Amino acid sequence: MPAPAYEALEARFRRLALLGDASGLLAWDRATIMPKGGADVRTEQLTELGLIRHELITDRALADLLDEAEDGSDTLDAWQRANLSAMRRSWRHANAVPAALYEASTRAGLACEMAWREARPANDFAGLRPLLEEVVRLTRETADAKGDAFDCAPYDALLDQFEPGLRMAEIDPVFEDLAAFLPDFVEDVLAHQASEPAVLPLTGPFPIEQQARLADTMMHTVGFPSDHGRLDVSHHPFSGGTPDDLRITTRYDEADFTSSLMAVLHETGHALYEHNLPARWRHQPVGDALGMAVHESQSLLIEMQVCRSRPFIAYAAPVMRAAFDHDGADAAWQPENLQRHYTRVSRGLIRVDADEVTYPAHVILRYRLERRLISGDLKVSELPAAWAAEMKDLVGIVPPDDRDGCLQDIHWMDGAFGYFPTYTLGAIMAAQLYEAAKRADTNIEPSIGRGDFKPLYAWLNENVHNLGSSLTASEMLSRATGHELDVGAFKSHLKARYLN
Amino acid sequence: MPAPAYEALEARFRRLALLGDASGLLAWDRATIMPKGGADVRTEQLTELGLIRHELITDRALADLLDEAEDGSDTLDAWQRANLSAMRRSWRHANAVPAALYEASTRAGLACEMAWREARPANDFAGLRPLLEEVVRLTRETADAKGDAFDCAPYDALLDQFEPGLRMAEIDPVFEDLAAFLPDFVEDVLAHQASEPAVLPLTGPFPIEQQARLADTMMHTVGFPSDHGRLDVSHHPFSGGTPDDLRITTRYDEADFTSSLMAVLHETGHALYEHNLPARWRHQPVGDALGMAVHESQSLLIEMQVCRSRPFIAYAAPVMRAAFDHDGADAAWQPENLQRHYTRVSRGLIRVDADEVTYPAHVILRYRLERRLISGDLKVSELPAAWAAEMKDLVGIVPPDDRDGCLQDIHWMDGAFGYFPTYTLGAIMAAQLYEAAKRADTNIEPSIGRGDFKPLYAWLNENVHNLGSSLTASEMLSRATGHELDVGAFKSHLKARYLN
């Protein structure tokens, strides 16, 4: 029987999680359906809920309970011990930072983000600079404090916020490998693509109502549980809500249904990870998803590995045609052509518009720059020039202005340094996991070709979802695939898809 | 300058209010758009938020601050003093009830409400009885405890939960007057109605999309601020959200647009009261609306006094016709006939379907019975028979079964005893306030006839909304109308509308 201290901690972390749920719903509502005039009071509500959570996790009594529970941890089973250690990690992140610094950072992030919404369209880096400098300054202070608490480098401590245990030492070899591989590979892919038949345009308009019906059909094909979630519209697609009340979003463009649909499938991947987390551990840290890299691996596995694959598109093509009443004989709507739409590669300036092949270059660029910003090796004022240099090196093109350069992303404005790498780590893990899944059950890929995701999810549930946070990402990967993080499967996947 | 104790109280009550906002949004979401499978976790979230609020308001330190602030209240201005006294009232309600009793009541109410959802359609009073008995038993304990705290009768303390300061002594003369007046009056109205031309049917269907557009037009005519609210669909219409993010709901019936539209206007009345509360006092008890009776007076003033009046219907008739592409020459769509639809009187079994004339009888019945249930004078087992007797006496008809008798309302199932009277008190106040408003500004009624609600809202804002809870309902009524609660205006209104 677990010690009373541990039981008391479960009660406290359950409260934290339920408050987190409430904040999550308020944020979802703000991003989807809230009337404009509700923004100010919503900020007050969210700030107060955040403050209450901060008070709960920095409460002296909670620290004492953690000490006591750790002393008596030999009475705990493996999940409870993992839960206790996830609690400690969460405690460390919150308690490493003095309240005044936490508040100043939040405020600086909000101010910079607000200003950025105007500065980006106005291409006004100079105007934004002082605000971003303040964000960087306070983030460096935070990183120093957390580095001390976790006994690691400051930037490593920022990475740990988004993916527990992730360190530069794990990222560097993988990103160096990719940075060396990609420039030539992109050349090869573009040459190969040029030798292929031209992509036939899909002619719209595609009425939003029909798109929404198709999205609904397809997300349910993947396995989205209709009783436990909704699809709505927001400015940027995201996945919110809770494991039993999944709130995913997309946005529609009447001229093009393909990217909206793929966003829905991407978010469905996120949502199903949440939905399949261990029910016994709801509202406990060990029952949570692993970090953002693993989360992204689940969305990219569905989007990139599966839904842009030949077998799935062969299955989906007639469904898409039917959704828009298109003719089965129309060449543009044949699987071959749809697959070309969904695997088109080009060098672009904008990360969120990038394809699967060039995307890692955008991420590596940001990783390189944000490390240097945090170490103090790069000044905010030097960012535009450094951005251009890295773009030239990694993507092969240079942005004509900051709007489509270093002003394009919200992350840094908000103080979210250490987040970017998780996108590409997620892509690498997705390839690694899908390769292992297909090896473990040879029925998975043929089933996908029939629109049957059950065998895939049986494997994912057992090897990823049901584990919650009871293992680290590395342990989970080793157990599921036989290797720790390994870029091999990702590169093989890219070669197979883009050079064949 | 107010004492530090008072300032500290403002901070604590602000937190309580913001947590209340969060609960409100979660409850709105549950009632409108939440997927079914989210119900269990939503209950957990709402329960935990309620528990946190209960802990905050029963915190010993808060009690000390109240004592201290009251001792130094001579440094406070009138609003601050009113705020302090609203805080004390709220504290009394929460602290009168032992935590175990509070929890047991909540649980019993939930269990009974859940069972009621099945028992009502199954007409199974016997099956529900033990659960309702438990609710009544625990509510009586609560009423006793609160009666001690407020030094009043137990049932008075229940009334006070819903309308501060409301007591049986204020209700009794008014309800006795109405109970004596109504039976003969209803006879007269029905006879008068029979002598009038028959009501011509409005022929549908009325597509939901067109109804929603009409609702949108009409709520904005009344003054609903589009940037600060939404209209959605729920099982029962209600008004939720916050003063700057109003969430009203309705339900649509393709065969009949009239009741859905009137529900929207009713909820708009509630919403505009919230929206116009004093902005300086947001998230403080004194900035809140007065109780449910005053709230209902604002919805009924808009719905019953104004929107079912001849001048407004004359204005609205062409708008309604246009919404459904009906012919201007069609006799059914002339103001006279529409007004007959909206003022049709009949003896019915169901409170929520009752018209303005018979509605008070349904309320007086419930008032009489719930008082006796709380005093112990009436047993739950005797409810069906007592219900039938009162219906015969007050409405003149007897329900054939409990489904359309004592099982029809959710209130008691939930433990909400003391709520019912507020509906009819609201109707009485609405008549009293509208009479005073028209007397004070003779331009109000002609403006309504042009769809211009500004003069009306100028008067309401000054005399009701902007006051928040700085006065009691009685003080507000006296100041605005020259009288405390007085049934005269309501009776004059009924005579003028239904016998002319």
Side-chain angles (χ1 to χ4, degrees), chain A residues 15 36 55 80 113 122 130 135 149 153 161 179 194 269 279 282 331 407 418 499:
Chain A
R15 171 166 289 187
K36 245 192 325 186
E55 288 172 15
Q80 291 168 330
E113 187 195 316
V135 170
Q161 297 174 327
R282 287 277 191 272
L407 287 179
L499 293 183

Side-chain angles (χ1 to χ4, degrees), chain A residues 186-246:
Chain A
V186 171
E187 285 291 343
D188 294 348
V189 169
L190 292 175
H192 178 78
Q193 204 170 252
S195 74
E196 294 267 291
V199 184
L200 305 173
L202 298 163
T203 316
F206 305 102
I208 288 175
E209 212 175 297
Q210 288 176 16
Q211 289 196 52
R213 263 204 303 275
L214 173 62
D216 189 70
T217 303
M218 295 294 252
M219 66 201 254
H220 288 102
T221 297
V222 175
F224 191 92
S226 19
D227 270 9
H228 286 281
R230 302 174 47 93
L231 169 65
D232 292 272
V233 173
S234 66
H235 192 59
H236 288 283
F238 70 96
S239 165
T242 60
D244 297 306
D245 183 0
L246 309 156

Side-chain angles (χ1 to χ4, degrees), chain B residues 264-278:
Chain B
V264 171
L265 298 172
H266 179 98
E267 302 308 335
T268 297
H270 280 304
L272 282 174
Y273 181 17
E274 289 288 320
H275 189 60
N276 297 327
L277 288 166

Side-chain angles (χ1 to χ4, degrees), chain B residues 15-269:
Chain B
R15 171 166 291 188
L16 278 163
L18 287 165
L19 284 166
D21 282 4
S23 296
L25 192 87
L26 266 60
W28 171 87
D29 182 89
R30 176 173 63 182
T32 51
I33 59 173
M34 186 187 75
K36 245 195 323 189
D40 289 347
V41 67
R42 184 59 46 86
T43 301
E44 286 186 69
Q45 292 154 359
L46 285 167
T47 306
E48 193 71 16
L49 287 173
L51 198 59
I52 295 173
R53 293 171 74 200
H54 189 72
E55 287 173 15
L56 290 172
I57 196 149
T58 56
D59 181 11
R60 182 66 238 174
L62 187 138
D64 293 342
L65 287 169
L66 277 171
D67 291 341
E68 205 185 314
E70 283 165 353
D71 283 346
S73 68
D74 43 354
T75 63
L76 302 179
D77 68 24
W79 276 84
Q80 291 168 329
R81 271 201 304 280
N83 198 25
L84 184 57
S85 107
M87 289 170 177
R88 172 61 83 181
R89 172 180 162 273
S90 174
W91 179 89
R92 270 207 189 101
H93 273 294
N95 285 269
V97 183
L101 174 55
Y102 176 77
E103 221 190 294
S105 298
T106 309
R107 207 185 307 269
L110 273 174
C112 185
E113 187 195 314
M114 292 288 280
W116 168 75
R117 291 176 191 277
E118 318 265 297
R120 192 194 170 192
N123 191 37
D124 181 16
F125 181 78
L128 191 70
R129 207 184 96 183
L131 292 166
L132 183 56
E133 281 171 345
E134 182 66 359
V135 170
V136 170
R137 189 182 70 74
L138 292 164
T139 307
R140 292 180 65 196
E141 269 189 53
T142 301
D144 285 343
K146 291 195 172 186
D148 287 346
F150 283 88
D151 196 19
C152 66
Y155 181 76
D156 275 342
L158 298 182
L159 290 172
D160 193 277
Q161 297 174 325
F162 301 108
E163 182 66 47
L166 183 62
R167 299 289 180 267
M168 290 179 279
E170 192 177 2
I171 299 174
D172 285 340
V174 169
F175 278 14
E176 272 160 34
D177 186 327
L178 274 180
F181 166 78
L182 283 176
D184 290 350
F185 180 71
V186 171
E187 284 292 342
D188 294 348
V189 169
L190 291 175
H192 178 79
Q193 203 170 253
S195 73
E196 294 266 289
V199 183
L200 305 173
L202 299 163
T203 316
F206 305 102
I208 288 175
E209 212 175 297
Q210 289 177 17
Q211 288 196 52
R213 262 204 303 276
L214 173 61
D216 190 69
T217 303
M218 295 295 251
M219 67 200 253
H220 288 102
T221 296
V222 176
F224 192 92
S226 18
D227 270 9
H228 287 281
R230 302 175 47 94
L231 170 64
D232 292 271
V233 173
S234 66
H235 192 60
H236 289 284
F238 71 95
S239 165
T242 60
D244 296 306
D245 182 1
L246 309 156
R247 305 282 174 109
I248 67 172
T249 72
T250 190
R251 56 184 164 189
Y252 297 108
D253 173 357
E254 293 227 323
D256 169 30
F257 73 94
T258 58
S259 72
S260 170
L261 176 61
M262 210 40 90
V264 171
L265 298 172
H266 179 98
E267 302 308 335
T268 297

